[in-house]
Amino acid sequence: MGNTTNGRLVSLDVLRGFVMFWIMSGEHIIHALAKAAPIPVFVWMSSQLHHTDWNGITFYDMIFPIFLFVAGVSMPYSFEKKMSIAGVNTPAELPSKEKQKIYGSMLKRTCILLFLGFVVNGLLRFDGYDQTRFASVLGRIGLAWFFAGIIYLNFDLKKQLFWLIGILVGYYLVLKLVPVPNFGAGILTPEASFSSYFDQQFLPGRLHSKVYDPEGLFSTIPAIATALLGMFLGTFLKSKNIFSANEKIVIMVAAALILIGIGALWNYDFPINKRLWTSSFVCFVGGFSILFFTFFYWIIDVLGFQKWAFPLLLIGSNSILIYMASEGLVNFKHTAEFVFGGLIEFLPLLWQPVFTTLSVTFVQLVLLYFLYKRKLFLKI
């Protein structure tokens, strides 16, 4: 089943590295290029590397859900060995004793991700309860992955699909029909949506944007559906069926286009919105997640072209570590300027920011290469 490294599907790590690249430093390279050489393609790429103000979508809005989608794809592979040892064909058939062990492992992973999310948010600065933000990207990944895993371990494929539909439709109905005090029902603005109201009431500490939090509690529910979509793709890829690799690609592309179409149509009544993680957003980005994965799967696992993606593999193999480091734990810019600053000063002033950002990426990749060669991975 495709190329693997260290027991991992290479195309998964490469896709994980591709989306993480933009967060760790890629966005700054493009923004600097757009200023130094404002040609249409660079200007357009720069515009895609900003979040939308509210409704709508850019590529930057897709990065987080793609990462969560990839975690879902990995799930069937992570349980494959346990199923083989137990002699069962589906995770729902695993003995209860084995499931209890898995639950403990999953809960531990989720708690670690929640804590690391707190650290990224500055928990250890001890700014006080009211100034501490508890919602986080890593926390949402942990929670959504955990609950998707519970569904995966306890229900067959048909019931998993029911869960997916139930989550998406249920979330839609709540946000459209349940009234919010002083505002009413179905008002999907930052201060008036039911998701914002729920977080205002129950999310401890500081909200990211005063009246709402893009990684809040209630909007984590549809994020479970994002992980489930990835889980379905992983189940399809590893299943023993009659489809050839090329046929699988056709099926994946068709499924992606259907999801994008559903999301685009649903957008007219339930806007595509990352901060609310609307059901239309789940479908639309889920489709694009499949397309991105299909591209890397086709190039790497079907055609066998792998060497070109080695830098992305370095990032994807240690994605949590480089995310935390880039979010403030390590000052890569200081290191890059210390090493390359003297050389960069000889360049035209307009282009110095471009090469500064490139030097940051180089320093990051050197660190990741060092860790990769020594098989040092932050595994959670």
Side-chain angles (χ1 to χ4, degrees):
M1 171 53 214
N3 297 314
T4 60
T5 182
N6 297 326
R8 301 156 75 103
L9 194 64
V10 175
S11 52
L12 271 184
D13 275 335
V14 170
L15 176 55
R16 190 183 287 110
F18 171 73
V19 294
M20 188 55 65
F21 164 72
W22 301 107
I23 295 175
M24 74 181 207
S25 56
E27 61 174 303
H28 302 299
I29 295 174
I30 298 301
H31 294 325
L33 271 174
K35 289 181 180 179
I39 60 177
V41 64
F42 291 153
V43 173
W44 175 80
M45 289 177 69
S46 178
S47 71
Q48 286 297 305
L49 291 170
H50 293 284
H51 287 303
T52 52
D53 290 334
W54 189 244
N55 293 332
I57 188 132
T58 63
F59 171 74
Y60 208 61
D61 292 325
M62 297 187 187
I63 289 176
F64 181 10
I66 292 175
F67 195 88
L68 178 54
F69 175 88
V70 169
V73 178
S74 302
M75 195 179 300
Y77 291 94
S78 65
F79 294 137
E80 187 173 20
K81 185 177 180 180
K82 292 181 176 65
M83 290 163 54
S84 177
I85 293 173
V88 299
N89 296 317
T90 66
E93 297 171 334
L94 284 168
S96 58
K97 192 179 231 183
E98 186 62 36
K99 283 185 182 179
Q100 293 297 326
K101 294 179 183 176
I102 296 174
Y103 295 153
S105 176
M106 290 170 58
L107 184 60
K108 178 183 176 183
R109 182 179 191 265
T110 299
C111 290
I112 292 173
L113 284 171
L114 283 167
F115 176 73
L116 293 180
F118 298 159
V119 172
V120 170
N121 285 348
L123 176 70
L124 301 183
R125 289 200 301 262
F126 303 110
D127 291 333
Y129 175 84
D130 292 337
Q131 296 302 313
T132 299
R133 180 177 174 237
F134 291 95
S136 69
V137 168
L138 294 179
R140 172 163 290 183
I141 291 172
L143 290 169
W145 177 87
F146 176 81
F147 287 109
I150 295 296
I151 294 170
Y152 179 73
L153 283 169
N154 289 281
F155 299 94
D156 60 29
L157 184 59
K158 184 178 179 180
K159 291 177 181 177
Q160 291 167 13
L161 285 168
F162 286 146
W163 268 102
L164 174 72
I165 296 169
I167 289 170
L168 295 178
V169 174
Y171 187 70
Y172 163 76
L173 292 174
V174 170
L175 261 64
K176 294 290 283 188
L177 301 178
V178 176
V180 173
N182 301 320
F183 292 102
I187 303 175
L188 304 180
T189 60
E191 65 280 347
S193 74
F194 180 83
S195 180
S196 301
Y197 171 73
F198 187 93
D199 290 339
Q200 290 164 19
Q201 302 303 310
F202 300 106
L203 184 60
R206 176 179 64 86
L207 300 183
H208 179 274
S209 300
K210 293 185 179 179
V211 295
Y212 76 93
D213 197 297
E215 281 79 50
L217 290 173
F218 198 76
S219 57
T220 295
I221 295 173
I224 298 169
T226 298
L228 286 173
L229 285 174
M231 185 191 70
F232 292 143
L233 181 62
T235 300
F236 172 70
L237 283 173
K238 69 176 283 294
S239 63
K240 297 182 176 70
N241 52 42
I242 60 174
F243 300 115
S244 67
N246 288 328
E247 289 171 333
K248 285 182 176 180
I249 288 171
V250 171
I251 292 170
M252 288 190 289
V253 170
L257 294 177
I258 290 170
L259 280 170
I260 291 170
I262 292 172
L265 288 173
W266 210 344
N267 174 61
Y268 287 102
D269 184 49
F270 197 32
I272 293 172
N273 185 302
K274 176 191 176 292
R275 290 165 180 80
L276 293 176
W277 212 280
T278 54
S279 304
S280 56
F281 174 80
V282 172
C283 294
F284 192 82
V285 179
F288 273 99
S289 299
I290 295 173
L291 287 181
F292 278 115
F293 172 78
T294 302
F295 171 78
F296 289 111
Y297 174 76
W298 175 57
I299 296 293
I300 293 171
D301 292 297
V302 177
L303 299 182
F305 297 120
Q306 184 178 330
K307 291 182 179 179
W308 67 274
F310 184 63
L312 299 179
L313 181 63
L314 293 178
I315 301 168
S317 299
N318 245 325
S319 54
I320 299 294
L321 184 145
I322 194 62
Y323 169 76
M324 293 187 64
S326 302
E327 286 295 297
L329 295 186
V330 178
N331 192 335
F332 289 110
K333 185 178 180 182
H334 176 80
T335 303
E337 289 178 343
F338 181 82
V339 176
F340 300 104
L343 292 173
I344 291 173
E345 286 182 358
F346 287 104
L347 299 171
L349 190 62
L350 187 64
W351 284 90
Q352 287 182 16
V354 175
F355 285 91
T356 297
T357 55
L358 286 170
S359 67
V360 169
T361 302
F362 179 79
V363 170
Q364 291 170 329
L365 289 175
V366 168
L367 169 64
L368 290 168
Y369 179 77
F370 174 84
L371 296 172
Y372 184 86
K373 293 301 288 185
R374 284 154 183 78
K375 295 181 171 57
L376 297 174
F377 306 104
L378 179 59
K379 294 181 180 180
I380 300 172

